[in-house]
Amino acid sequence: MKEGVIIVNAGGEFIGTMDKMAAHRSGMLHRAFSVFIFNSKGQLLLQQRALDKYHSGGLWTNTCCSHPKLGEVTFDAANRRLQEEMGMACKLTELFQFSYHHQFENGLIENEFDHVFMGISDELPLPNSTEVANFKYIDTDQLMFELIEQPDLYTPWFKICLEQVLETYYQII
Protein backbone atom coordinates (compact mmCIF):
# COMPACT_ATOMS: atom_id res chain seq x y z
CA MET A 1 0.00 0.00 0.00
CA LYS A 2 1.60 3.29 -1.17
CA GLU A 3 -0.27 5.81 0.96
CA GLY A 4 -3.12 4.55 3.06
CA VAL A 5 -6.28 6.01 4.52
CA ILE A 6 -8.28 4.89 7.54
CA ILE A 7 -11.61 3.34 6.59
CA VAL A 8 -14.40 4.15 9.07
CA ASN A 9 -18.09 3.44 9.57
CA ALA A 10 -20.78 6.15 9.59
CA GLY A 11 -19.95 6.91 13.25
CA GLY A 12 -16.28 7.50 12.45
CA GLU A 13 -15.13 4.25 14.06
CA PHE A 14 -12.11 2.41 12.62
CA ILE A 15 -12.87 -0.48 10.26
CA GLY A 16 -9.54 -0.92 8.48
CA THR A 17 -7.18 0.68 5.99
CA MET A 18 -6.98 0.98 2.23
CA ASP A 19 -4.69 2.48 -0.38
CA LYS A 20 -5.63 6.17 -0.73
CA MET A 21 -6.26 6.09 -4.46
CA ALA A 22 -8.22 2.82 -4.20
CA ALA A 23 -10.43 4.43 -1.55
CA HIS A 24 -11.02 7.44 -3.80
CA ARG A 25 -11.81 5.23 -6.79
CA SER A 26 -14.23 3.00 -4.86
CA GLY A 27 -15.76 5.71 -2.66
CA MET A 28 -15.02 4.03 0.69
CA LEU A 29 -15.80 6.20 3.72
CA HIS A 30 -12.51 7.27 5.26
CA ARG A 31 -11.17 9.64 7.89
CA ALA A 32 -9.99 13.10 6.86
CA PHE A 33 -9.45 16.50 8.43
CA SER A 34 -9.76 20.13 7.44
CA VAL A 35 -7.91 23.04 9.09
CA PHE A 36 -9.15 26.64 9.09
CA ILE A 37 -6.71 29.34 10.26
CA PHE A 38 -7.90 32.89 10.92
CA ASN A 39 -5.62 35.85 11.59
CA SER A 40 -6.19 38.43 14.33
CA LYS A 41 -8.11 40.60 11.82
CA GLY A 42 -10.67 37.82 11.36
CA GLN A 43 -9.49 36.98 7.86
CA LEU A 44 -9.45 33.34 6.79
CA LEU A 45 -6.26 31.88 5.31
CA LEU A 46 -7.11 30.04 2.09
CA GLN A 47 -4.91 27.90 -0.08
CA GLN A 48 -5.20 27.26 -3.78
CA ARG A 49 -4.53 23.57 -4.31
CA ALA A 50 -1.56 22.71 -6.52
CA LEU A 51 -2.62 22.36 -10.13
CA ASP A 52 -1.53 18.72 -10.40
CA LYS A 53 -3.43 17.38 -7.35
CA TYR A 54 -5.34 14.15 -7.99
CA HIS A 55 -8.60 16.11 -7.74
CA SER A 56 -9.62 19.73 -7.27
CA GLY A 57 -6.30 21.05 -8.60
CA GLY A 58 -6.26 24.85 -8.76
CA LEU A 59 -9.37 25.27 -6.59
CA TRP A 60 -9.39 27.44 -3.47
CA THR A 61 -10.04 25.76 -0.14
CA ASN A 62 -9.46 25.94 3.59
CA THR A 63 -5.96 26.41 5.00
CA CYS A 64 -5.04 22.74 4.79
CA CYS A 65 -6.61 19.30 4.63
CA SER A 66 -5.53 15.68 4.37
CA HIS A 67 -5.85 12.24 5.96
CA PRO A 68 -4.29 10.91 9.17
CA LYS A 69 -1.90 8.00 8.89
CA LEU A 70 -2.67 4.63 10.47
CA GLY A 71 -1.99 4.92 14.21
CA GLU A 72 -1.83 8.73 14.08
CA VAL A 73 -4.21 10.78 16.22
CA THR A 74 -6.23 13.07 13.93
CA PHE A 75 -5.26 16.15 15.97
CA ASP A 76 -1.57 15.30 15.50
CA ALA A 77 -2.13 14.70 11.78
CA ALA A 78 -3.76 18.13 11.41
CA ASN A 79 -0.75 19.78 13.05
CA ARG A 80 1.68 17.75 10.94
CA ARG A 81 -0.03 18.63 7.65
CA LEU A 82 -0.37 22.31 8.57
CA GLN A 83 3.41 22.35 8.85
CA GLU A 84 3.96 20.23 5.71
CA GLU A 85 1.51 22.11 3.47
CA MET A 86 1.64 25.67 4.78
CA GLY A 87 4.95 25.76 6.67
CA MET A 88 3.34 27.03 9.84
CA ALA A 89 2.30 25.92 13.32
CA CYS A 90 -0.74 27.03 15.26
CA LYS A 91 -2.70 25.96 18.33
CA LEU A 92 -5.66 24.02 16.92
CA THR A 93 -9.08 23.24 18.38
CA GLU A 94 -11.38 20.58 16.95
CA LEU A 95 -14.74 22.20 16.17
CA PHE A 96 -16.90 19.40 14.78
CA GLN A 97 -17.05 16.44 12.41
CA PHE A 98 -19.17 15.91 9.34
CA SER A 99 -19.46 13.44 6.49
CA TYR A 100 -19.73 14.31 2.84
CA HIS A 101 -19.80 12.51 -0.48
CA HIS A 102 -18.80 14.03 -3.81
CA GLN A 103 -18.00 12.48 -7.19
CA PHE A 104 -15.54 14.37 -9.37
CA GLU A 105 -15.51 14.61 -13.16
CA ASN A 106 -12.36 12.44 -13.27
CA GLY A 107 -14.27 9.56 -11.63
CA LEU A 108 -12.69 9.90 -8.19
CA ILE A 109 -15.01 9.97 -5.18
CA GLU A 110 -14.61 11.80 -1.90
CA ASN A 111 -16.50 9.97 0.84
CA GLU A 112 -15.03 11.39 3.99
CA PHE A 113 -15.66 11.54 7.69
CA ASP A 114 -14.01 14.93 8.18
CA HIS A 115 -12.69 16.34 11.48
CA VAL A 116 -12.67 20.16 11.32
CA PHE A 117 -10.04 22.14 13.23
CA MET A 118 -9.58 25.88 13.73
CA GLY A 119 -6.75 28.09 14.90
CA ILE A 120 -5.82 31.76 15.10
CA SER A 121 -2.39 32.91 13.96
CA ASP A 122 -0.68 35.89 12.39
CA GLU A 123 2.26 33.74 11.29
CA LEU A 124 2.90 34.15 7.57
CA PRO A 125 2.67 30.79 5.79
CA LEU A 126 5.57 29.34 3.80
CA PRO A 127 3.63 26.97 1.54
CA ASN A 128 4.99 23.78 0.02
CA SER A 129 4.76 24.35 -3.75
CA THR A 130 4.05 20.67 -4.43
CA GLU A 131 0.87 21.01 -2.36
CA VAL A 132 -0.12 24.67 -2.69
CA ALA A 133 -0.21 26.89 -5.80
CA ASN A 134 -1.05 30.09 -3.91
CA PHE A 135 -2.56 31.43 -0.69
CA LYS A 136 -4.50 34.46 0.45
CA TYR A 137 -6.12 35.96 3.51
CA ILE A 138 -9.70 37.00 2.87
CA ASP A 139 -12.39 38.84 4.82
CA THR A 140 -15.33 36.54 5.42
CA ASP A 141 -17.81 38.96 3.83
CA GLN A 142 -15.74 39.03 0.64
CA LEU A 143 -15.42 35.25 0.74
CA MET A 144 -19.18 34.78 1.01
CA PHE A 145 -19.66 37.12 -1.97
CA GLU A 146 -17.10 35.16 -4.01
CA LEU A 147 -18.77 31.86 -3.11
CA ILE A 148 -22.06 33.19 -4.49
CA GLU A 149 -20.53 34.74 -7.60
CA GLN A 150 -17.96 32.04 -8.44
CA PRO A 151 -18.69 28.82 -6.51
CA ASP A 152 -16.78 26.67 -9.01
CA LEU A 153 -13.50 28.22 -7.82
CA TYR A 154 -13.84 26.44 -4.44
CA THR A 155 -13.64 22.81 -3.30
CA PRO A 156 -16.86 20.95 -2.47
CA TRP A 157 -15.97 20.16 1.16
CA PHE A 158 -15.01 23.79 1.82
CA LYS A 159 -18.41 25.02 0.63
CA ILE A 160 -20.18 22.38 2.74
CA CYS A 161 -18.56 23.13 6.11
CA LEU A 162 -17.65 26.83 5.88
CA GLU A 163 -20.93 28.14 7.33
CA GLN A 164 -20.62 25.97 10.44
CA VAL A 165 -16.96 26.98 10.85
CA LEU A 166 -17.88 30.67 10.68
CA GLU A 167 -20.76 30.25 13.15
CA THR A 168 -18.39 28.59 15.61
CA TYR A 169 -15.64 31.15 15.00
CA TYR A 170 -17.97 34.07 15.72
CA GLN A 171 -19.15 32.40 18.96
CA ILE A 172 -15.55 31.97 20.11
CA ILE A 173 -14.20 35.48 19.40
Side-chain angles (χ1 to χ4, degrees), residues 1 22 34 37 64 66-67 70 97 107 136 161:
M1 186 164 61
S34 297
I37 302 296
C64 103
S66 191
H67 309 93
L70 181 61
Q97 297 126 28
K136 65 181 176 181
C161 71

Side-chain angles (χ1 to χ4, degrees), residues 39 41-44 137-144 170:
N39 65 17
K41 297 176 187 174
Q43 297 170 315
L44 179 58
Y137 288 92
I138 189 167
D139 289 315
T140 56
D141 289 342
Q142 178 64 33
L143 175 59
M144 298 311 284
Y170 290 127

Side-chain angles (χ1 to χ4, degrees), residues 36 59-62 98 102 143-144 146-148 150-164:
F36 290 74
L59 296 184
W60 288 94
T61 197
N62 47 288
F98 75 105
H102 181 83
L143 175 59
M144 298 311 284
E146 288 183 16
L147 283 167
I148 292 167
Q150 298 177 304
D152 292 343
L153 297 181
Y154 294 88
T155 61
W157 63 89
F158 177 71
K159 292 184 282 190
I160 292 169
C161 71
L162 178 62
E163 186 176 333
Q164 190 171 352

Side-chain angles (χ1 to χ4, degrees), residues 95-153:
L95 302 181
F96 59 90
Q97 297 126 28
F98 75 105
S99 293
Y100 75 96
H101 184 277
H102 181 83
Q103 184 156 352
F104 296 94
E105 289 179 11
N106 66 3
L108 294 178
I109 302 165
E110 284 280 17
N111 189 15
E112 295 190 335
F113 187 91
D114 197 6
H115 297 252
V116 179
F117 295 88
M118 186 193 84
I120 298 174
S121 175
D122 287 323
E123 181 180 345
L124 189 64
L126 299 168
N128 177 342
S129 62
T130 62
E131 299 288 338
V132 180
N134 203 352
F135 71 91
K136 65 181 176 181
Y137 288 92
I138 189 167
D139 289 315
T140 56
D141 289 342
Q142 178 64 33
L143 175 59
M144 298 311 284
F145 175 78
E146 288 183 16
L147 283 167
I148 292 167
E149 293 294 311
Q150 298 177 304
D152 292 343
L153 297 181

